[in-house]
PDB file of all heavy atoms in Angstrom:
ATOM      1  N   GLY A1077     122.998  50.637  19.888  1.00 97.00           N
ATOM      2  CA  GLY A1077     123.638  49.383  20.250  1.00 97.00           C
ATOM      3  C   GLY A1077     122.760  48.427  21.028  1.00 97.00           C
ATOM      4  O   GLY A1077     123.252  47.463  21.614  1.00 97.00           O
ATOM      5  N   LEU A1078     121.437  48.668  21.023  1.00 96.00           N
ATOM      6  CA  LEU A1078     120.512  47.889  21.851  1.00 96.00           C
ATOM      7  C   LEU A1078     119.711  46.847  21.080  1.00 96.00           C
ATOM      8  O   LEU A1078     118.960  46.077  21.684  1.00 96.00           O
ATOM      9  CB  LEU A1078     119.536  48.847  22.559  1.00 96.00           C
ATOM     10  CG  LEU A1078     120.166  49.936  23.426  1.00 96.00           C
ATOM     11  CD1 LEU A1078     119.096  50.896  23.926  1.00 96.00           C
ATOM     12  CD2 LEU A1078     120.928  49.315  24.590  1.00 96.00           C
ATOM     13  N   TYR A1079     119.845  46.799  19.749  1.00 96.00           N
ATOM     14  CA  TYR A1079     118.972  45.952  18.929  1.00 96.00           C
ATOM     15  C   TYR A1079     119.760  45.466  17.716  1.00 96.00           C
ATOM     16  O   TYR A1079     119.532  45.904  16.601  1.00 96.00           O
ATOM     17  CB  TYR A1079     117.742  46.771  18.517  1.00 96.00           C
ATOM     18  CG  TYR A1079     116.604  46.012  17.879  1.00 96.00           C
ATOM     19  CD1 TYR A1079     116.149  44.801  18.393  1.00 96.00           C
ATOM     20  CD2 TYR A1079     115.950  46.534  16.765  1.00 96.00           C
ATOM     21  CE1 TYR A1079     115.086  44.134  17.819  1.00 96.00           C
ATOM     22  CE2 TYR A1079     114.869  45.877  16.181  1.00 96.00           C
ATOM     23  CZ  TYR A1079     114.446  44.677  16.711  1.00 96.00           C
ATOM     24  OH  TYR A1079     113.382  44.021  16.142  1.00 96.00           O
ATOM     25  N   PRO A1080     120.721  44.552  17.930  1.00 97.00           N
ATOM     26  CA  PRO A1080     121.609  44.144  16.838  1.00 97.00           C
ATOM     27  C   PRO A1080     120.870  43.366  15.750  1.00 97.00           C
ATOM     28  O   PRO A1080     119.887  42.671  16.044  1.00 97.00           O
ATOM     29  CB  PRO A1080     122.630  43.253  17.546  1.00 97.00           C
ATOM     30  CG  PRO A1080     121.935  42.745  18.760  1.00 97.00           C
ATOM     31  CD  PRO A1080     121.023  43.847  19.196  1.00 97.00           C
ATOM     32  N   PRO A1081     121.348  43.449  14.516  1.00 97.00           N
ATOM     33  CA  PRO A1081     120.728  42.666  13.451  1.00 97.00           C
ATOM     34  C   PRO A1081     120.971  41.182  13.655  1.00 97.00           C
ATOM     35  O   PRO A1081     121.968  40.790  14.288  1.00 97.00           O
ATOM     36  CB  PRO A1081     121.427  43.174  12.179  1.00 97.00           C
ATOM     37  CG  PRO A1081     122.690  43.799  12.644  1.00 97.00           C
ATOM     38  CD  PRO A1081     122.439  44.305  14.029  1.00 97.00           C
ATOM     39  N   PRO A1082     120.081  40.332  13.152  1.00 96.00           N
ATOM     40  CA  PRO A1082     120.299  38.886  13.261  1.00 96.00           C
ATOM     41  C   PRO A1082     121.600  38.490  12.554  1.00 96.00           C
ATOM     42  O   PRO A1082     122.019  39.155  11.603  1.00 96.00           O
ATOM     43  CB  PRO A1082     119.080  38.284  12.548  1.00 96.00           C
ATOM     44  CG  PRO A1082     118.060  39.374  12.513  1.00 96.00           C
ATOM     45  CD  PRO A1082     118.812  40.656  12.462  1.00 96.00           C
ATOM     46  N   PRO A1083     122.249  37.412  12.987  1.00 95.00           N
ATOM     47  CA  PRO A1083     123.482  36.961  12.347  1.00 95.00           C
ATOM     48  C   PRO A1083     123.298  36.761  10.842  1.00 95.00           C
ATOM     49  O   PRO A1083     122.297  36.180  10.400  1.00 95.00           O
ATOM     50  CB  PRO A1083     123.774  35.627  13.044  1.00 95.00           C
ATOM     51  CG  PRO A1083     123.097  35.731  14.370  1.00 95.00           C
ATOM     52  CD  PRO A1083     121.876  36.556  14.135  1.00 95.00           C
ATOM     53  N   GLY A1084     124.232  37.270  10.071  1.00 94.00           N
ATOM     54  CA  GLY A1084     124.171  37.128   8.617  1.00 94.00           C
ATOM     55  C   GLY A1084     123.363  38.191   7.903  1.00 94.00           C
ATOM     56  O   GLY A1084     123.338  38.245   6.672  1.00 94.00           O
ATOM     57  N   SER A1085     122.688  39.052   8.664  1.00 96.00           N
ATOM     58  CA  SER A1085     121.882  40.114   8.058  1.00 96.00           C
ATOM     59  C   SER A1085     122.737  41.351   7.784  1.00 96.00           C
ATOM     60  O   SER A1085     123.837  41.496   8.317  1.00 96.00           O
ATOM     61  CB  SER A1085     120.722  40.503   8.978  1.00 96.00           C
ATOM     62  OG  SER A1085     119.896  39.403   9.220  1.00 96.00           O
ATOM     63  N   SER A1086     122.211  42.241   6.967  1.00 97.00           N
ATOM     64  CA  SER A1086     122.872  43.517   6.724  1.00 97.00           C
ATOM     65  C   SER A1086     123.053  44.264   8.044  1.00 97.00           C
ATOM     66  O   SER A1086     122.173  44.253   8.903  1.00 97.00           O
ATOM     67  CB  SER A1086     122.035  44.373   5.771  1.00 97.00           C
ATOM     68  OG  SER A1086     122.549  45.691   5.693  1.00 97.00           O
ATOM     69  N   THR A1087     124.193  44.914   8.188  1.00 97.00           N
ATOM     70  CA  THR A1087     124.438  45.700   9.402  1.00 97.00           C
ATOM     71  C   THR A1087     123.861  47.103   9.299  1.00 97.00           C
ATOM     72  O   THR A1087     123.871  47.852  10.271  1.00 97.00           O
ATOM     73  CB  THR A1087     125.944  45.803   9.681  1.00 97.00           C
ATOM     74  OG1 THR A1087     126.587  46.397   8.552  1.00 97.00           O
ATOM     75  CG2 THR A1087     126.538  44.432   9.943  1.00 97.00           C
ATOM     76  N   TYR A1088     123.353  47.465   8.129  1.00 98.00           N
ATOM     77  CA  TYR A1088     122.772  48.790   7.953  1.00 98.00           C
ATOM     78  C   TYR A1088     121.348  48.813   8.512  1.00 98.00           C
ATOM     79  O   TYR A1088     120.678  47.782   8.614  1.00 98.00           O
ATOM     80  CB  TYR A1088     122.767  49.199   6.472  1.00 98.00           C
ATOM     81  CG  TYR A1088     124.132  49.114   5.833  1.00 98.00           C
ATOM     82  CD1 TYR A1088     124.331  48.406   4.652  1.00 98.00           C
ATOM     83  CD2 TYR A1088     125.244  49.720   6.430  1.00 98.00           C
ATOM     84  CE1 TYR A1088     125.585  48.310   4.071  1.00 98.00           C
ATOM     85  CE2 TYR A1088     126.502  49.617   5.858  1.00 98.00           C
ATOM     86  CZ  TYR A1088     126.666  48.907   4.683  1.00 98.00           C
ATOM     87  OH  TYR A1088     127.919  48.804   4.132  1.00 98.00           O
ATOM     88  N   LEU A1089     120.887  49.997   8.867  1.00 98.00           N
ATOM     89  CA  LEU A1089     119.539  50.171   9.396  1.00 98.00           C
ATOM     90  C   LEU A1089     118.492  49.948   8.305  1.00 98.00           C
ATOM     91  O   LEU A1089     118.791  49.992   7.113  1.00 98.00           O
ATOM     92  CB  LEU A1089     119.384  51.582   9.958  1.00 98.00           C
ATOM     93  CG  LEU A1089     120.236  51.939  11.182  1.00 98.00           C
ATOM     94  CD1 LEU A1089     120.197  53.436  11.422  1.00 98.00           C
ATOM     95  CD2 LEU A1089     119.757  51.182  12.405  1.00 98.00           C
ATOM     96  N   GLY A1090     117.251  49.762   8.733  1.00 98.00           N
ATOM     97  CA  GLY A1090     116.140  49.722   7.789  1.00 98.00           C
ATOM     98  C   GLY A1090     115.456  48.376   7.750  1.00 98.00           C
ATOM     99  O   GLY A1090     116.009  47.407   7.231  1.00 98.00           O
ATOM    100  N   LEU A1091     114.225  48.285   8.274  1.00 98.00           N
ATOM    101  CA  LEU A1091     113.501  47.028   8.414  1.00 98.00           C
ATOM    102  C   LEU A1091     112.416  46.826   7.352  1.00 98.00           C
ATOM    103  O   LEU A1091     111.714  45.815   7.377  1.00 98.00           O
ATOM    104  CB  LEU A1091     112.878  46.949   9.808  1.00 98.00           C
ATOM    105  CG  LEU A1091     113.887  46.967  10.964  1.00 98.00           C
ATOM    106  CD1 LEU A1091     113.177  47.040  12.297  1.00 98.00           C
ATOM    107  CD2 LEU A1091     114.781  45.725  10.902  1.00 98.00           C
ATOM    108  N   GLU A1092     112.282  47.780   6.440  1.00 98.00           N
ATOM    109  CA  GLU A1092     111.308  47.638   5.350  1.00 98.00           C
ATOM    110  C   GLU A1092     111.670  48.628   4.256  1.00 98.00           C
ATOM    111  O   GLU A1092     112.318  49.644   4.495  1.00 98.00           O
ATOM    112  CB  GLU A1092     109.883  47.901   5.855  1.00 98.00           C
ATOM    113  CG  GLU A1092     109.697  49.277   6.479  1.00 98.00           C
ATOM    114  CD  GLU A1092     108.353  49.441   7.176  1.00 98.00           C
ATOM    115  OE1 GLU A1092     107.383  48.771   6.783  1.00 98.00           O
ATOM    116  OE2 GLU A1092     108.275  50.252   8.116  1.00 98.00           O
ATOM    117  N   CYS A1093     111.240  48.303   3.039  1.00 98.00           N
ATOM    118  CA  CYS A1093     111.529  49.209   1.918  1.00 98.00           C
ATOM    119  C   CYS A1093     110.559  48.931   0.785  1.00 98.00           C
ATOM    120  O   CYS A1093     109.790  47.963   0.806  1.00 98.00           O
ATOM    121  CB  CYS A1093     112.971  49.033   1.429  1.00 98.00           C
ATOM    122  SG  CYS A1093     113.247  47.523   0.479  1.00 98.00           S
TER     123      CYS A1093
END
Side-chain angles (χ1 to χ4, degrees):
L1078 303 173
Y1079 191 45
S1085 300
S1086 171
T1087 58
Y1088 306 128
L1089 295 168
L1091 298 174
E1092 58 189 332
C1093 74

